[in-house]
Amino acid sequence: MTKLELIKKGLIKDNPTFVLVLGMCPTLGTTTSALNGMGMGLATLVVLTLSNIVISAVARYIPDKVRIPSYIVIISAFVTIIQLLMQAYLPSLYETLGLFIPLIVVNCIVLGRAEAFANKNTVLDSACDGLGIGLGFTLSLTVIGLIREILGAGTFFGWHFLGGDGILVFILAPGAFLVLGLLMALFNKLTGRA
Amino acid sequence: MAKLTVSLSPHFQSQTTTDVLMKDVLIALAPAALVSILFYGWRALMLLVVSVATCVLCEWLICKFLMHKQNPCLYATILTGVLLALNLPPAAPWWIAFMGGIAAIAIAKMCFGGLGQNIFNPAIFGRVFLLVSFPAIMTTWAAPHSWIGVDAFSGATPLAQINEGLRQGLPVNQIIADNNLSGWHMLFARAGGSVGEISALALIAGFVYLLVRKVIKPHIPVAIIGTVIVVSGIFSLIDPARFTGPLFNVFTGGLLLGSIFMATDYVTSPMTTLGMIIYGVLIGLLTVLIRYFGSYPEGVSFAILIANMAVPLINKYCKPKRFAA
Amino acid sequence: MLISLGGIALVCALLLAVVNALTEKKIAKVQADKTAAAIAQVVPAFDGSPVDTVVLVDAQEYLVHKAMAGDSIVGYAIETATAGFGGPINMMVGFSASGEIYSTAVVSHSETPGLGAKITDGESHFRTQFEHKNPADGYNLSVTKDGGDVDAITASTITSRAFTLAVAKAYDVYLSVAGAQPAPEFFEPQDGEGGSDD
């Protein structure tokens, strides 16, 4: 597989949200607006790419028995770094994403890619895989956030195009499930999986 | 024409089709709909028309373009539209009925595969969708007072009046006296509520018709109302100043409309007698608990939706015994 | 096994220590800026930085920021919190020296978007109605449904009640602070004298 194919695979064929259905907690919890979804997606993308690179580089030196603890330590180090940087330089985004940033540690996508891909592939391939899956995640979260924002608040990336409020249910928790479900159906229809 | 299976195997073939059953339910709803038009005038009629038209159109579009078939039972769709309209506040604008109709049919019914496949009662889902989305409109009630129309003023339903009064620390009987909320007054026609909640008598007439025509069994409504009477009776005996009594709870809000017409929906209720009783008790219990302790004054719709989720589980554990067992 | 896991942990710890050292000051500054911005929003213009004191009212601690212009106090910014519909509402309530509510700011909240979250809109009638009202002149700090003078946000009575309660609490704190403190016009600080306390 070429490097480009590795990246493209994460966007559609192995889309983490609509196909692998991983990382549902941040997907449902942070997509109240397009910018929040994008912020969460990008934070995950950075953690995923960095942890994929490091894990693929050191995987062969780690004994099998302490594989998972080692991966978790590496991933959580990156998550903490991202958290500190966001707190310092993007305080308003950090406030809205709040608890979900530390939760990237237990996002199945990150550990899943470490186990399924990074520990048996080269550093460069793992970086591309992390980038692709991360982009797929970011794109999905941004689209979900955008739809929820347009329907639920009448805004487009924060720009108020509609007077008054939208259909509130879409920015509340049930709306996340509704939009995710409908988008998943649409995705399956378009990719011919259904 | 599609046949509706109403029990687990073994089945008997019956000549009663879904269309006939749904027509009977519509006839049973007629008194409530007529009384509401009588009291709320053209607004109630407008909500009924918009709601039914939206439901029918929405299902037709989805059937034609996504499923490539015909609507298997038009009357079931019309029924959803009528029930939704009867669950709206009379002062609601037309687009509330329109959006509720789309939510009910497109999300709650067709996403699950259409007639007979849905987990949640579409009309209740539509109502809760609207209640969560447009809380200001969905809780602005109009008092019934004239033939021609209604003034949209920020009135409160009896349940909301109680909820508000209790927060101010008033005892229940004083709030009831202040707002003229006696059970007998409400039996015929009372102030404030959804379009279809206006007359308990009209709803009970529909119930009797359904029982006579053997369209529904009495178990679910009786279990719900019985549970509400028992549970609210216990609470009001413990502390009559904080908790409203059984009579008040039965005749206010959407309890009669919900238990007679929506909890008994074939698709979303259990199939065995024992299952029906468990389901009814669950709805009754949840309704009283939400009314007493929840932040929304009314709990029937939420209770039915939650109980809908439990139906597959109830069916699993309440299978009829096999003949050979 | 021990070496590899220990090594990874050590490297990660070192890395975190470095990042923490780099961001520590910036994070503290961001937080201080946020508090300062909230204070500046709720009291009249003042000089320098506000004087912070902790006040105990009804067995609860409140942080009070006194805004000074020259030697006189121009306002008090009081941090309060109440339980809203979706979680705690943290607020900064400002009073002018005369005891008028100057302005309010919501520091953090978790109210329902589109409903209770309207408390963050500083331009809304709900927020502006508090401004320049003095509870000492009979302005009743409770919502109209409870017999007070505050118009609640439509369909968000619980949030409106919580917000109003927070302002009322802040007023109690103001009374205890301003009561203990002689009013500015009677108070002449005598700089450079009475240094025997040092």
Side-chain angles (χ1 to χ4, degrees):
Chain A
M1 226 186 267
T2 67
K3 306 285 175 272
L4 198 66
E5 276 171 346
L6 272 175
I7 296 177
K8 240 175 72 182
K9 181 190 63 157
L11 283 175
I12 295 162
K13 201 178 130 265
D14 275 352
N15 185 297
T17 307
F18 300 126
V19 179
L20 303 180
V21 199
L22 289 175
M24 285 297 109
C25 169
T27 304
L28 296 168
T30 63
T31 50
T32 47
S33 74
L35 280 177
N36 286 354
M38 193 188 269
M40 184 67 206
L42 290 175
T44 311
L45 177 137
V46 174
V47 171
L48 183 58
T49 312
L50 291 176
S51 70
N52 258 9
I53 291 172
V54 172
I55 286 167
S56 65
V58 301
R60 75 184 104 141
Y61 307 111
I62 300 175
D64 228 27
K65 270 188 188 160
V66 291
R67 194 175 78 243
I68 303 283
S70 306
Y71 295 169
I72 288 291
V73 170
I74 294 169
I75 295 166
S76 47
F78 284 123
V79 170
T80 314
I81 291 171
I82 294 285
Q83 190 186 355
L84 289 172
L85 290 175
M86 269 179 114
Q87 233 173 326
Y89 298 101
L90 295 166
S92 59
L93 183 65
Y94 177 77
E95 233 162 68
T96 34
L97 297 182
L99 185 66
F100 289 99
I101 294 295
L103 279 178
I104 297 176
V105 178
V106 287
N107 190 326
C108 323
I109 299 172
V110 183
L111 192 61
R113 291 327 285 177
E115 271 287 272
F117 196 93
N119 68 355
K120 39 180 142 349
N121 285 286
T122 64
V123 173
L124 202 58
D125 280 357
S126 301
C128 291
D129 177 75
L131 208 60
I133 298 275
L135 281 175
F137 191 61
T138 309
L139 194 70
S140 316
L141 260 60
T142 312
V143 171
I144 296 173
L146 186 62
I147 292 174
R148 288 181 67 188
E149 186 185 339
I150 290 174
L151 291 175
T155 57
F156 181 86
F157 279 96
W159 170 60
H160 229 270
F161 66 85
L162 192 82
D165 304 316
I167 309 169
L168 278 184
V169 76
F170 285 105
I171 34 174
L172 300 175
F177 287 90
L178 291 179
V179 173
L180 177 67
L182 292 172
L183 277 179
M184 213 179 265
L186 185 71
F187 194 87
N188 285 348
K189 176 105 186 153
L190 292 180
T191 54
R193 280 164 42 90
Chain B
M1 235 179 274
K3 298 221 166 41
L4 189 70
T5 312
V6 294
S7 87
L8 289 172
S9 60
H11 299 297
F12 295 94
Q13 286 292 330
S14 148
Q15 289 307 306
T16 327
T17 63
T18 316
D19 269 359
V20 175
L21 291 171
M22 294 297 141
K23 251 188 243 174
D24 269 334
V25 181
L26 281 172
I27 293 169
L29 272 173
L34 287 177
V35 172
S36 68
I37 294 172
L38 208 64
F39 278 92
Y40 292 118
W42 66 271
R43 296 216 63 131
L45 189 65
M46 178 272 289
L47 288 175
L48 277 163
V49 170
V50 172
S51 173
V52 170
T54 309
C55 287
V56 170
L57 184 71
C58 189
E59 183 148 352
W60 180 79
L61 285 172
I62 292 173
C63 280
K64 184 165 172 72
F65 293 105
L66 289 175
M67 301 170 101
H68 308 291
K69 62 171 192 180
Q70 276 204 312
N71 183 347
C73 178
L74 185 64
Y75 289 102
T77 316
I78 295 174
L79 180 62
T80 298
V82 172
L83 283 173
L84 176 69
L86 293 183
N87 268 294
L88 297 175
W94 66 270
W95 53 267
I96 280 283
F98 177 71
M99 284 199 179
I102 292 177
I105 294 298
I107 297 175
K109 189 176 179 187
M110 302 317 282
C111 273
F112 289 89
L115 184 70
Q117 308 289 321
N118 49 306
I119 297 173
F120 299 105
N121 182 308
I124 298 256
F125 177 87
R127 178 191 143 87
V128 168
F129 179 93
L130 293 171
L131 182 65
V132 176
S133 296
F134 308 101
I137 294 170
M138 289 298 287
T139 49
T140 304
W141 308 92
H145 61 104
S146 77
W147 280 71
I148 317 118
V150 277
D151 302 330
F153 75 96
S154 226
T157 64
L159 282 169
Q161 283 167 345
I162 293 280
N163 210 331
E164 227 16 87
L166 285 173
R167 283 184 191 282
Q168 291 173 31
L170 299 173
V172 166
N173 51 6
Q174 193 193 328
I175 307 166
I176 290 181
D178 284 354
N179 295 301
N180 194 20
L181 306 172
S182 74
W184 300 114
H185 173 61
M186 285 178 240
L187 185 57
F188 297 99
R190 54 170 181 73
S194 297
V195 172
E197 292 169 4
I198 182 157
S199 169
L201 212 58
L203 292 170
I204 292 169
F207 183 42
V208 171
Y209 175 81
L210 288 179
L211 288 180
V212 169
R213 294 277 299 161
K214 293 202 167 72
V215 175
I216 60 169
K217 289 181 182 161
H219 302 80
I220 294 174
V222 168
I224 295 175
I225 292 166
T227 310
V228 167
I229 290 173
V230 171
V231 177
S232 63
I234 293 171
F235 271 107
S236 69
L237 277 180
I238 296 172
D239 189 354
R242 266 191 68 202
F243 301 112
T244 48
L247 190 68
F248 181 83
N249 272 301
V250 169
F251 289 119
T252 51
L255 189 76
L256 287 174
L257 182 65
S259 57
I260 296 169
F261 292 99
M262 294 192 279
T264 52
D265 173 22
Y266 288 126
V267 181
T268 56
S269 65
M271 298 167 183
T272 60
T273 309
L274 179 64
M276 287 178 182
I277 292 169
I278 295 174
Y279 173 78
V281 169
L282 185 63
I283 294 176
L285 190 66
L286 285 171
T287 302
V288 177
L289 291 181
I290 295 172
R291 280 182 180 182
Y292 282 163
F293 303 109
S295 54
Y296 284 94
E298 172 60 306
V300 179
S301 342
F302 293 108
I304 294 177
L305 278 188
I306 294 169
N308 280 166
M309 285 197 290
V311 167
L313 199 67
I314 293 171
N315 276 340
K316 189 179 167 189
Y317 287 107
C318 300
K319 274 185 193 155
K321 287 212 168 62
R322 288 194 203 118
F323 288 118
Chain C
M1 194 164 82
L2 204 66
I3 296 166
S4 62
L5 188 56
I8 288 171
L10 195 69
V11 172
C12 289
L14 280 173
L15 200 63
L16 286 182
V18 171
V19 177
N20 187 45
L22 288 176
T23 52
E24 202 177 11
K25 272 191 190 144
K26 178 78 182 162
I27 291 172
K29 191 177 171 297
V30 164
Q31 247 136 29
D33 283 354
K34 201 181 159 191
T35 312
I39 295 171
Q41 203 186 324
V42 298
V43 293
F46 58 95
D47 305 333
S49 53
V51 184
D52 300 349
T53 42
V54 175
V55 181
L56 202 68
V57 177
D58 292 335
Q60 215 177 332
E61 283 185 355
Y62 294 90
L63 192 56
V64 179
H65 311 275
K66 285 182 212 162
M68 320 282 286
D71 289 332
S72 59
I73 294 174
V74 292
Y76 301 84
I78 298 162
E79 288 183 21
T80 58
T82 45
F85 185 75
I89 300 176
N90 291 304
M91 291 186 31
M92 187 77 81
V93 184
F95 294 91
S96 62
S98 61
E100 267 182 12
I101 300 165
Y102 189 77
S103 188
T104 52
V106 177
V107 179
S108 68
H109 74 97
S110 35
E111 301 307 287
T112 317
L115 286 173
K118 283 180 184 154
I119 53 170
T120 54
D121 180 6
E123 311 286 298
S124 65
H125 167 69
F126 179 74
R127 284 278 295 281
T128 52
Q129 66 178 334
F130 289 95
E131 290 170 13
H132 307 298
K133 299 280 166 54
N134 193 337
D137 300 340
Y139 183 68
N140 188 348
L141 274 174
S142 52
V143 295
T144 44
K145 260 185 187 164
D146 301 343
D149 293 324
V150 178
D151 298 327
I153 299 170
T154 314
S156 313
T157 315
I158 295 172
T159 308
S160 307
R161 272 198 190 101
F163 188 98
T164 310
L165 180 66
V167 178
K169 269 190 183 178
Y171 185 67
D172 289 344
V173 177
Y174 162 80
L175 283 182
S176 83
V177 179
Q181 182 93 31
E185 48 267 49
F186 301 116
F187 181 68
E188 296 290 335
Q190 294 172 333
D191 290 349
E193 288 189 36
S196 56
D197 289 357
D198 294 343

